[in-house]
Amino acid sequence: MNDSEYNRYSVLAEIAELYFLKGMQQAAIADKMKISRSLVSRMITEAQEKGIVSITINHFFKRSEKHEKELGRRFGLQNSRVLILPNSMKEDEIKKQLGRFAADQIYGKIKRGWNIGFTFGTTLKEIVDALSVKPPRQVTFLQLTGSLGAAEAAFDSHELVHLLSSAWNCEGVFLHAPLIVNSTEVRHHLYGSRSNIRNAELCRKLDIAVVGLSSYENAYSSALYSGGHIGAEDMLMMRKAGIIGDVGSYSINEDGRLVDIQTLTRMIGFDEDEWKNIKNRYGIAAGDHKLNIIRAALKGGWLTGLITDEQTADNLL
Protein backbone atom coordinates (compact mmCIF):
# COMPACT_ATOMS: atom_id res chain seq x y z
CA MET A 1 0.00 0.00 0.00
CA ASN A 2 1.50 3.34 -1.06
CA ASP A 3 1.21 6.62 0.86
CA SER A 4 -1.76 7.83 -1.18
CA GLU A 5 -3.72 4.64 -0.54
CA TYR A 6 -2.82 4.68 3.15
CA ASN A 7 -4.05 8.26 3.52
CA ARG A 8 -7.27 7.40 1.70
CA TYR A 9 -7.97 4.43 3.99
CA SER A 10 -7.25 6.58 7.04
CA VAL A 11 -9.79 9.21 5.95
CA LEU A 12 -12.39 6.54 5.13
CA ALA A 13 -11.89 4.95 8.55
CA GLU A 14 -12.22 8.32 10.31
CA ILE A 15 -15.46 9.18 8.51
CA ALA A 16 -16.87 5.69 9.17
CA GLU A 17 -16.01 6.02 12.88
CA LEU A 18 -17.77 9.41 13.12
CA TYR A 19 -20.85 8.05 11.37
CA PHE A 20 -21.22 4.52 12.78
CA LEU A 21 -19.66 4.76 16.24
CA LYS A 22 -20.18 8.38 17.26
CA GLY A 23 -23.56 8.77 15.59
CA MET A 24 -22.80 12.02 13.79
CA GLN A 25 -25.08 13.10 10.94
CA GLN A 26 -23.56 13.29 7.47
CA ALA A 27 -24.02 17.08 7.36
CA ALA A 28 -22.06 17.46 10.62
CA ILE A 29 -19.30 15.18 9.31
CA ALA A 30 -19.12 17.25 6.12
CA ASP A 31 -18.65 20.43 8.18
CA LYS A 32 -16.00 18.82 10.38
CA MET A 33 -14.03 17.34 7.46
CA LYS A 34 -14.52 20.39 5.19
CA ILE A 35 -16.00 18.32 2.36
CA SER A 36 -19.43 18.09 0.70
CA ARG A 37 -22.25 16.01 2.18
CA SER A 38 -22.53 13.96 -1.04
CA LEU A 39 -18.83 13.08 -0.75
CA VAL A 40 -19.37 11.95 2.84
CA SER A 41 -22.13 9.61 1.66
CA ARG A 42 -19.93 8.16 -1.09
CA MET A 43 -17.03 7.68 1.29
CA ILE A 44 -19.22 5.84 3.82
CA THR A 45 -20.29 3.48 1.03
CA GLU A 46 -16.67 3.04 -0.08
CA ALA A 47 -15.61 2.23 3.50
CA GLN A 48 -18.18 -0.55 3.60
CA GLU A 49 -17.18 -1.92 0.18
CA LYS A 50 -13.47 -1.98 1.13
CA GLY A 51 -14.18 -3.90 4.33
CA ILE A 52 -13.15 -1.02 6.61
CA VAL A 53 -16.60 -1.20 8.19
CA SER A 54 -17.73 -4.50 9.69
CA ILE A 55 -21.24 -4.53 11.12
CA THR A 56 -22.30 -7.33 13.45
CA ILE A 57 -25.93 -7.83 14.47
CA ASN A 58 -26.37 -9.77 17.71
CA HIS A 59 -29.72 -11.55 17.69
CA PHE A 60 -31.24 -12.59 20.99
CA PHE A 61 -31.41 -16.37 21.26
CA LYS A 62 -32.66 -18.23 24.31
CA ARG A 63 -31.49 -21.83 24.61
CA SER A 64 -32.89 -24.77 26.55
CA GLU A 65 -29.84 -26.33 28.20
CA LYS A 66 -32.05 -28.96 29.82
CA HIS A 67 -33.11 -30.29 26.41
CA GLU A 68 -29.58 -29.99 25.03
CA LYS A 69 -28.13 -32.15 27.81
CA GLU A 70 -30.86 -34.77 27.49
CA LEU A 71 -30.52 -34.99 23.69
CA GLY A 72 -26.76 -35.41 24.10
CA ARG A 73 -27.19 -38.10 26.74
CA ARG A 74 -29.90 -40.08 24.97
CA PHE A 75 -28.52 -39.96 21.42
CA GLY A 76 -24.79 -39.63 22.07
CA LEU A 77 -24.52 -36.22 20.44
CA GLN A 78 -21.35 -34.18 20.84
CA ASN A 79 -23.21 -30.94 20.16
CA SER A 80 -26.90 -30.26 20.54
CA ARG A 81 -28.46 -26.80 20.51
CA VAL A 82 -32.12 -26.15 21.27
CA LEU A 83 -33.70 -22.78 20.53
CA ILE A 84 -36.64 -21.56 22.62
CA LEU A 85 -39.21 -19.76 20.47
CA PRO A 86 -42.70 -18.30 21.12
CA ASN A 87 -45.48 -20.87 20.65
CA SER A 88 -47.36 -18.56 18.28
CA MET A 89 -44.54 -18.34 15.73
CA LYS A 90 -45.37 -19.47 12.17
CA GLU A 91 -43.38 -22.13 10.29
CA ASP A 92 -41.54 -19.73 7.95
CA GLU A 93 -40.44 -17.53 10.84
CA ILE A 94 -39.35 -20.59 12.86
CA LYS A 95 -37.20 -21.65 9.90
CA LYS A 96 -35.66 -18.17 9.64
CA GLN A 97 -34.90 -17.93 13.37
CA LEU A 98 -33.53 -21.48 13.46
CA GLY A 99 -31.28 -20.65 10.48
CA ARG A 100 -29.89 -17.57 12.22
CA PHE A 101 -29.39 -19.52 15.44
CA ALA A 102 -27.64 -22.37 13.61
CA ALA A 103 -25.42 -19.87 11.76
CA ASP A 104 -24.22 -18.46 15.10
CA GLN A 105 -23.45 -21.93 16.45
CA ILE A 106 -21.59 -23.03 13.32
CA TYR A 107 -19.71 -19.74 12.96
CA GLY A 108 -18.41 -20.16 16.51
CA LYS A 109 -16.82 -23.49 15.51
CA ILE A 110 -15.14 -22.40 12.26
CA LYS A 111 -11.36 -22.14 12.17
CA ARG A 112 -9.06 -20.74 9.50
CA GLY A 113 -8.26 -23.24 6.75
CA TRP A 114 -11.24 -25.52 7.43
CA ASN A 115 -13.26 -27.31 4.74
CA ILE A 116 -16.99 -26.75 5.24
CA GLY A 117 -19.65 -28.55 3.20
CA PHE A 118 -23.35 -28.00 2.57
CA THR A 119 -26.11 -30.21 1.25
CA PHE A 120 -29.41 -28.52 0.32
CA GLY A 121 -32.64 -27.32 1.91
CA THR A 122 -34.69 -24.26 2.80
CA THR A 123 -33.38 -24.12 6.36
CA LEU A 124 -29.81 -24.33 5.05
CA LYS A 125 -30.62 -21.34 2.83
CA GLU A 126 -31.47 -19.36 5.99
CA ILE A 127 -28.16 -20.47 7.56
CA VAL A 128 -26.16 -19.36 4.53
CA ASP A 129 -27.98 -16.02 4.38
CA ALA A 130 -27.09 -15.41 8.03
CA LEU A 131 -23.46 -16.56 7.63
CA SER A 132 -22.92 -14.43 4.53
CA VAL A 133 -23.16 -11.16 6.50
CA LYS A 134 -20.73 -12.24 9.22
CA PRO A 135 -17.04 -11.23 9.13
CA PRO A 136 -15.34 -13.56 6.61
CA ARG A 137 -12.89 -16.30 7.54
CA GLN A 138 -10.42 -17.98 5.22
CA VAL A 139 -12.02 -21.36 4.59
CA THR A 140 -13.07 -23.56 1.66
CA PHE A 141 -16.76 -24.26 1.00
CA LEU A 142 -17.79 -27.52 -0.65
CA GLN A 143 -20.91 -28.62 -2.48
CA LEU A 144 -21.70 -32.02 -0.97
CA THR A 145 -24.56 -33.17 -3.22
CA GLY A 146 -25.44 -32.90 -6.87
CA SER A 147 -27.67 -30.05 -8.00
CA LEU A 148 -31.45 -30.00 -7.81
CA GLY A 149 -31.72 -27.68 -10.80
CA ALA A 150 -33.45 -24.40 -11.56
CA ALA A 151 -36.73 -25.16 -9.77
CA GLU A 152 -34.99 -25.20 -6.37
CA ALA A 153 -32.08 -22.90 -7.22
CA ALA A 154 -32.58 -20.74 -4.12
CA PHE A 155 -31.73 -23.59 -1.73
CA ASP A 156 -29.70 -25.83 -4.01
CA SER A 157 -26.33 -27.04 -2.72
CA HIS A 158 -24.50 -25.39 -5.64
CA GLU A 159 -26.19 -22.03 -5.06
CA LEU A 160 -25.55 -22.09 -1.30
CA VAL A 161 -21.82 -22.67 -1.80
CA HIS A 162 -21.65 -20.04 -4.54
CA LEU A 163 -23.44 -17.44 -2.38
CA LEU A 164 -21.26 -18.01 0.68
CA SER A 165 -17.91 -18.28 -1.12
CA SER A 166 -18.72 -15.03 -2.97
CA ALA A 167 -19.75 -13.23 0.23
CA TRP A 168 -16.58 -14.32 2.08
CA ASN A 169 -14.31 -14.01 -0.99
CA CYS A 170 -12.95 -17.52 -0.50
CA GLU A 171 -12.86 -20.70 -2.57
CA GLY A 172 -15.95 -22.71 -3.43
CA VAL A 173 -15.48 -26.24 -4.77
CA PHE A 174 -18.45 -27.51 -6.75
CA LEU A 175 -19.90 -30.86 -7.76
CA HIS A 176 -20.84 -30.56 -11.43
CA ALA A 177 -23.63 -33.12 -11.67
CA PRO A 178 -27.36 -33.53 -11.00
CA LEU A 179 -28.48 -34.90 -7.65
CA ILE A 180 -29.94 -38.10 -9.11
CA VAL A 181 -28.44 -40.03 -12.04
CA ASN A 182 -29.63 -43.20 -13.75
CA SER A 183 -26.95 -45.66 -12.66
CA THR A 184 -23.77 -46.21 -10.68
CA GLU A 185 -21.91 -46.30 -14.02
CA VAL A 186 -23.01 -42.73 -14.78
CA ARG A 187 -22.10 -41.71 -11.24
CA HIS A 188 -18.58 -43.14 -11.56
CA HIS A 189 -18.14 -41.48 -14.96
CA LEU A 190 -19.12 -38.06 -13.57
CA TYR A 191 -16.83 -38.44 -10.56
CA GLY A 192 -14.00 -39.30 -12.92
CA SER A 193 -14.20 -35.90 -14.58
CA ARG A 194 -11.42 -33.46 -13.74
CA SER A 195 -13.84 -30.88 -12.32
CA ASN A 196 -15.27 -33.34 -9.79
CA ILE A 197 -12.13 -35.20 -8.67
CA ARG A 198 -10.99 -32.34 -6.43
CA ASN A 199 -14.46 -32.08 -4.89
CA ALA A 200 -14.40 -35.78 -4.01
CA GLU A 201 -10.90 -35.49 -2.51
CA LEU A 202 -11.76 -32.48 -0.33
CA CYS A 203 -15.05 -34.05 0.76
CA ARG A 204 -12.96 -36.67 2.54
CA LYS A 205 -11.17 -33.91 4.46
CA LEU A 206 -14.27 -32.10 5.70
CA ASP A 207 -14.14 -30.35 9.06
CA ILE A 208 -17.86 -29.51 9.15
CA ALA A 209 -20.81 -30.88 7.16
CA VAL A 210 -24.06 -28.90 7.37
CA VAL A 211 -26.92 -31.20 6.48
CA GLY A 212 -30.55 -30.88 5.51
CA LEU A 213 -33.00 -33.61 6.54
CA SER A 214 -35.67 -34.53 3.98
CA SER A 215 -38.81 -36.40 5.01
CA TYR A 216 -40.76 -38.78 2.76
CA GLU A 217 -43.74 -38.79 5.09
CA ASN A 218 -45.86 -37.74 2.13
CA ALA A 219 -45.37 -36.38 -1.38
CA TYR A 220 -45.70 -32.78 -0.25
CA SER A 221 -42.97 -33.01 2.40
CA SER A 222 -40.34 -34.02 -0.18
CA ALA A 223 -38.43 -31.37 -2.15
CA LEU A 224 -37.34 -34.09 -4.58
CA TYR A 225 -40.95 -34.94 -5.39
CA SER A 226 -42.26 -31.39 -5.53
CA GLY A 227 -39.32 -30.43 -7.76
CA GLY A 228 -40.00 -33.27 -10.20
CA HIS A 229 -36.75 -35.16 -9.49
CA ILE A 230 -38.65 -38.28 -8.48
CA GLY A 231 -42.15 -39.39 -9.44
CA ALA A 232 -45.08 -41.02 -7.64
CA GLU A 233 -43.79 -44.49 -8.56
CA ASP A 234 -40.39 -43.67 -7.08
CA MET A 235 -42.01 -42.47 -3.85
CA LEU A 236 -44.05 -45.69 -3.64
CA MET A 237 -40.94 -47.80 -4.30
CA MET A 238 -39.02 -45.97 -1.57
CA ARG A 239 -41.79 -46.40 0.98
CA LYS A 240 -42.02 -50.10 0.13
CA ALA A 241 -38.26 -50.34 0.72
CA GLY A 242 -38.79 -48.77 4.14
CA ILE A 243 -37.14 -45.43 3.30
CA ILE A 244 -38.53 -42.61 5.43
CA GLY A 245 -36.24 -39.82 4.24
CA ASP A 246 -32.78 -38.52 3.41
CA VAL A 247 -29.89 -37.32 5.56
CA GLY A 248 -27.66 -35.26 3.28
CA SER A 249 -28.89 -37.40 0.35
CA TYR A 250 -28.40 -40.75 2.11
CA SER A 251 -31.70 -42.67 2.07
CA ILE A 252 -32.38 -44.35 5.42
CA ASN A 253 -35.08 -46.41 7.14
CA GLU A 254 -36.65 -45.76 10.54
CA ASP A 255 -33.75 -47.49 12.31
CA GLY A 256 -31.25 -45.21 10.59
CA ARG A 257 -29.84 -47.87 8.30
CA LEU A 258 -28.83 -46.97 4.75
CA VAL A 259 -31.17 -48.29 2.04
CA ASP A 260 -29.59 -48.33 -1.40
CA ILE A 261 -31.91 -48.21 -4.41
CA GLN A 262 -29.95 -48.62 -7.63
CA THR A 263 -32.58 -46.89 -9.78
CA LEU A 264 -32.18 -43.71 -7.67
CA THR A 265 -28.41 -43.23 -7.57
CA ARG A 266 -27.47 -40.10 -5.62
CA MET A 267 -24.50 -37.87 -6.37
CA ILE A 268 -22.56 -37.41 -3.16
CA GLY A 269 -18.80 -37.45 -2.73
CA PHE A 270 -18.25 -40.24 -0.21
CA ASP A 271 -19.66 -43.46 1.18
CA GLU A 272 -21.31 -44.13 4.55
CA ASP A 273 -18.10 -44.94 6.43
CA GLU A 274 -16.32 -41.86 5.09
CA TRP A 275 -19.32 -39.72 6.02
CA LYS A 276 -19.30 -40.98 9.60
CA ASN A 277 -15.58 -40.18 9.92
CA ILE A 278 -16.32 -36.46 9.53
CA LYS A 279 -15.81 -34.92 12.96
CA ASN A 280 -18.65 -32.36 12.86
CA ARG A 281 -21.90 -33.37 11.14
CA TYR A 282 -24.67 -30.90 11.94
CA GLY A 283 -28.29 -31.65 11.15
CA ILE A 284 -30.66 -28.68 11.29
CA ALA A 285 -34.41 -29.32 11.31
CA ALA A 286 -37.61 -28.64 13.25
CA GLY A 287 -41.31 -29.45 13.06
CA ASP A 288 -43.58 -32.47 13.49
CA HIS A 289 -43.10 -33.56 9.85
CA LYS A 290 -39.35 -33.89 10.51
CA LEU A 291 -39.55 -35.95 13.71
CA ASN A 292 -39.24 -39.39 12.11
CA ILE A 293 -36.27 -38.52 9.92
CA ILE A 294 -34.49 -36.72 12.78
CA ARG A 295 -35.04 -39.69 15.09
CA ALA A 296 -33.81 -42.13 12.44
CA ALA A 297 -30.74 -40.01 11.69
CA LEU A 298 -29.87 -39.96 15.40
CA LYS A 299 -30.42 -43.71 15.79
CA GLY A 300 -28.15 -44.43 12.84
CA GLY A 301 -25.35 -42.17 14.07
CA TRP A 302 -25.46 -39.95 10.98
CA LEU A 303 -25.15 -36.76 13.01
CA THR A 304 -22.77 -35.57 15.71
CA GLY A 305 -24.81 -32.43 16.32
CA LEU A 306 -28.47 -31.43 16.13
CA ILE A 307 -29.81 -27.87 16.01
CA THR A 308 -33.56 -27.67 16.53
CA ASP A 309 -36.28 -25.88 18.49
CA GLU A 310 -37.71 -26.65 21.92
CA GLN A 311 -40.99 -28.16 20.72
CA THR A 312 -39.23 -30.56 18.36
CA ALA A 313 -36.76 -31.52 21.10
CA ASP A 314 -39.68 -32.15 23.47
CA ASN A 315 -41.30 -34.49 20.97
CA LEU A 316 -38.03 -36.31 20.25
CA LEU A 317 -37.51 -36.95 23.96
Side-chain angles (χ1 to χ4, degrees):
M1 182 183 290
N2 59 38
D3 289 348
S4 176
E5 290 173 326
Y6 178 82
N7 291 333
R8 179 70 173 179
Y9 270 74
S10 296
V11 173
L12 291 174
E14 183 178 357
I15 288 173
E17 185 177 81
L18 293 173
Y19 184 72
F20 288 105
L21 298 184
K22 297 188 177 179
M24 288 181 64
Q25 298 296 315
Q26 291 185 20
I29 296 172
D31 289 340
K32 179 179 176 65
M33 303 295 291
K34 302 294 190 284
I35 56 178
S36 68
R37 182 174 176 178
S38 60
L39 182 55
V40 170
S41 178
R42 291 197 299 272
M43 293 181 82
I44 289 170
T45 300
E46 185 181 348
Q48 291 175 291
E49 290 173 347
K50 289 187 179 328
I52 294 169
V53 176
S54 177
I55 300 173
T56 300
I57 306 298
N58 295 312
H59 291 279
F60 173 75
F61 295 120
K62 187 177 180 182
R63 290 166 46 192
S64 172
E65 294 186 8
K66 177 186 73 172
H67 286 88
E68 291 172 358
K69 289 177 181 177
E70 184 59 21
L71 284 171
R73 186 192 68 79
R74 189 174 301 189
F75 296 106
L77 292 170
Q78 297 171 17
N79 295 287
S80 56
R81 294 291 183 267
V82 177
L83 177 62
I84 299 174
L85 293 171
N87 294 330
S88 59
M89 192 170 281
K90 294 181 179 179
E91 184 176 347
D92 285 350
E93 186 59 26
I94 290 174
K95 195 170 290 186
K96 185 178 291 293
Q97 292 299 322
L98 189 65
R100 289 171 176 167
F101 176 64
D104 275 10
Q105 305 307 311
I106 293 165
Y107 186 75
K109 292 278 293 185
I110 294 173
K111 295 180 181 178
R112 182 184 178 89
W114 274 21
N115 295 320
I116 303 164
F118 289 86
T119 62
F120 60 87
T122 52
T123 305
L124 266 63
K125 173 64 165 61
E126 299 293 348
I127 296 171
V128 167
D129 283 346
L131 282 173
S132 66
V133 297
K134 292 183 179 295
R137 293 183 178 168
Q138 288 303 307
V139 297
T140 299
F141 292 113
L142 290 140
Q143 178 184 347
L144 298 187
T145 63
S147 296
L148 292 169
E152 284 78 38
F155 58 84
D156 184 50
S157 182
H158 184 283
E159 179 60 22
L160 298 184
V161 170
H162 177 262
L163 193 158
L164 202 43
S165 58
S166 297
W168 282 18
N169 193 29
C170 59
E171 185 180 13
V173 179
F174 299 95
L175 177 56
H176 299 285
L179 177 65
I180 296 177
V181 294
N182 292 333
S183 67
T184 53
E185 289 77 14
V186 172
R187 183 178 187 270
H188 290 151
H189 175 74
L190 286 169
Y191 271 127
S193 68
R194 184 178 299 176
S195 60
N196 288 332
I197 286 174
R198 185 158 182 264
N199 177 280
E201 289 173 347
L202 288 177
C203 279
R204 296 180 176 90
K205 301 175 183 178
L206 274 175
D207 296 289
I208 296 180
V210 186
V211 188
L213 304 176
S214 300
S215 170
Y216 293 156
E217 215 168 84
N218 56 61
Y220 302 102
S221 64
S222 168
L224 295 180
Y225 181 85
S226 61
H229 306 284
I230 58 175
E233 290 184 1
D234 297 318
M235 286 284 286
L236 180 61
M237 175 179 61
M238 287 190 291
R239 283 200 287 266
K240 283 183 176 179
I243 297 172
I244 64 166
D246 278 2
V247 181
S249 204
Y250 292 101
S251 298
I252 62 173
N253 64 19
E254 64 181 7
D255 293 321
R257 290 196 295 270
L258 183 67
V259 181
D260 188 22
I261 294 183
Q262 292 297 320
T263 54
L264 291 174
T265 305
R266 310 300 174 86
M267 288 295 297
I268 190 163
F270 28 59
D271 61 28
E272 179 183 357
D273 291 335
E274 290 169 327
W275 173 265
K276 291 184 178 180
N277 282 331
I278 301 167
K279 187 175 181 180
N280 300 291
R281 307 185 303 276
Y282 283 95
I284 296 93
D288 290 347
H289 63 294
K290 297 282 189 176
L291 282 172
N292 287 338
I293 185 61
I294 295 172
R295 190 177 286 112
L298 296 178
K299 281 183 182 178
W302 292 91
L303 305 175
T304 64
L306 174 67
I307 301 175
T308 189
D309 67 354
E310 185 183 30
Q311 184 174 342
T312 305
D314 252 342
N315 291 331
L316 283 170
L317 295 169

